[in-house]
């Protein structure tokens, strides 16, 4: 029997004041007029609550660009959902933070790119860093019932991985409960600039040791979730916990997707919450059924024991790397197309000189409808 | 980190709270939820930041008087320590 979805990723806007180099925010921005209204989102959250969903993750773009964010959060809370705000923190002052907390925000997740002011600004393209430190302090000033959970998300790649120890040391002083160390995922701009972003094996081994040490040292204070880049893993990640199995994503214009990147896949069409109910979309829509379960699986997945754990990996990666969304994820060491990933890894390690990514302006044309920041990541082995 | 001391007052960590329905009680936390039944639920319902760990143990030892009290204590201690590492419980 089909179980209910567990979490909603609410992309409330595609507007964003930053232009992170690895951002995969689609550029044909769903402009303000087509964005779902406060009432439409409220209705969505009520449907989520009735479906038994547990979490609403507010993301974007930059969700703070919605002036009605506090209203959206309180609507989600009223529908029984746990509310998580995934933000760059830009545009969030103490007063607005307080309004969000008062509205019932449960958890805030702020992304940091690097602990060195300059490097951080190199990535974010905005003087964002000092502000985030202030914000972290304001979050920790909340007390009692208002004390929300605080996670710092660190996006790492070849250019900054060597500073990992320093970055963790810096983040410790912000006193989050959780740190998520996530490698860039190679879609969109990041895929086009993979050579500049994919770490070397030596970098990665050092990073793993640093994380292990920090985990030990910080146990009971800060929980560290670290995700190994799947290019270096033996098996792929279970994308979105399995297609149509746990999550639904709704984009600013109301389109309902099984995963961030799903729109790159050819031949799929997606429903809109303006026209269909979430329950119907979950159960009946062809997009959610397309890669659900095992019927679609090719060999070697079909007869592999791990198929109930990783579900054959990421469909979008299969399409982007192997040109076919219906094959085993090339990140899997058992995949017939694994050579593609192996040669990228070989190149990353042969080339001692660190390539520089193309300037941020070029990512604008290359980005796709997916975003890297996502909290239910599963770590590939 | 150490296991809870008798005087500590275990409670849900920041941003972790009860949710779900009366039959299906869950604790919601940032990256997921845990469904709680039986003893686990009985333990966490007492982690209200008021009762001390010592009191919680005593209450549950009394309630499960057929079980070895030392075992009840060590099971609960390990359970809370694990949840503390996951940043779901503080003490
Ligand atoms: S990564 Fe997020 S914060 Fe950065 S530009 Fe993209 S949407 Fe904005
Ligand atoms: S063959 Fe398929 S199911 Fe098996 S590990 Fe690889 S991706 Fe997963």
């Amino acid at each position: 029997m089909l179980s209910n979805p567990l979490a909603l990723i609410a992309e409330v806007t595609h507007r964003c004041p930053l232009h992170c180099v690895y951002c995969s925010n689609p550029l044909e921005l769903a402009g303000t007029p087509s964005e779902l209204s406060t009432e439409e989102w409220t209705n969505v959250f009520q449907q989520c609550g009735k479906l038994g969903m547990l979490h609403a993750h507010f993301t974007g773009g930059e969700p703070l660009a919605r002036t009605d964010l506090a209203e959206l959060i309180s609507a989600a809370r009223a529908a029984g959902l746990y509310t998580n705000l995934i933000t760059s923190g830009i545009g969030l002052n103490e007063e607005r933070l307080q309004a969000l907390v008062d509205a019932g925000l449960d958890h805030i997740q702020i992304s940091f790119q690097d602990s060195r002011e300059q490097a951080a600004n190199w990535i974010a393209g905005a003087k964002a860093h000092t502000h985030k430190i202030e914000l972290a302090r304001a979050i920790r000033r909340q007390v009692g019932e208002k004390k929300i959970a605080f996670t710092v998300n660190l996006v790492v790649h070849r250019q900054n991985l060597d500073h990992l120890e320093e970055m963790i040391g810096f983040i410790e002083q912000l006193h989050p409960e959780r740190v998520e160390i996530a490698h860039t995922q190679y879609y969109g701009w990041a895929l086009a600039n993979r050579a500049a972003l994919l770490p070397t094996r030596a970098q990665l081994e050092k990073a793993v040791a640093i994380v292990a040490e920090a985990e030990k040292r910080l146990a009971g204070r800060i929980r560290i979730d670290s995700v190994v880049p799947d290019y270096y893993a033996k098996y792929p990640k279970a994308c979105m916990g399995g297609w149509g199995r746990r999550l639904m994503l709704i984009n600013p214009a109301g389109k309902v997707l099984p995963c961030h990147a799903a729109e790159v896949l050819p031949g799929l069409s997606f429903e809109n919450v303006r026209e269909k109910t979430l329950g119907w979309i979950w159960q009946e829509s062809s997009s959610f059924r397309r890669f659900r379960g095992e019927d679609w699986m090719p060999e070697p997945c079909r007869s592999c024991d791990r198929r109930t754990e990783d579900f054959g990996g990421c469909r979008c990666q299969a399409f982007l790397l192997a040109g076919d969304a219906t094959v085993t994820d090339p990140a899997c060491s058992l995949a017939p197309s694994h050579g593609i990933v192996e040669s990228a890894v070989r190149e990353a390690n042969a080339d001692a000189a660190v390539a520089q990514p193309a300037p941020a302006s070029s990512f604008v044309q290359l980005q796709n409808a997916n975003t890297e920041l996502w909290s239910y990541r599963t770590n590939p082995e | 980190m150490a296991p809870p001391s008798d005087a500590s007052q275990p409670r849900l960590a920041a941003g972790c709270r009860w949710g779900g329905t009366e039959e299906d009680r869950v604790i919601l936390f940032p990256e997921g939820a845990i469904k709680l039944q039986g003893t686990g639920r009985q333990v966490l319902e007492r982690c209200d930041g008021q009762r001390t760990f010592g009191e919680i143990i005593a209450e549950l030892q009394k309630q499960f008087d057929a079980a070895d009290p030392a075992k009840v204590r060590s099971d609960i201690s390990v359970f809370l320590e694990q949840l503390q590492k996951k940043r779901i419980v503080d003490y």
Side-chain angles (χ1 to χ4, degrees), chain A residues 16 18-20 23 25 61 88:
Chain A
C16 174
L18 294 183
H19 299 282
C20 298
C23 175
N25 206 346
S88 68

Side-chain angles (χ1 to χ4, degrees), chain A residues 320-333:
Chain A
L320 292 169
L321 297 186
D324 183 351
T326 69
V327 298
T328 301
D329 185 336
C332 177
S333 55

Side-chain angles (χ1 to χ4, degrees), chain A residues 13-25 59-63 87-90 111 113 123-124 363 367 371-373:
Chain A
T13 183
H14 278 154
R15 287 171 284 153
C16 174
L18 294 183
H19 299 282
C20 298
V21 285
Y22 48 74
C23 175
S24 43
N25 206 346
T59 178
E62 173 50 66
T87 176
S88 68
I90 302 304
S111 59
Q113 282 79 28
I123 292 284
F363 91 97
Q367 52 197 337
T371 158
E372 351 274 351
L373 304 180

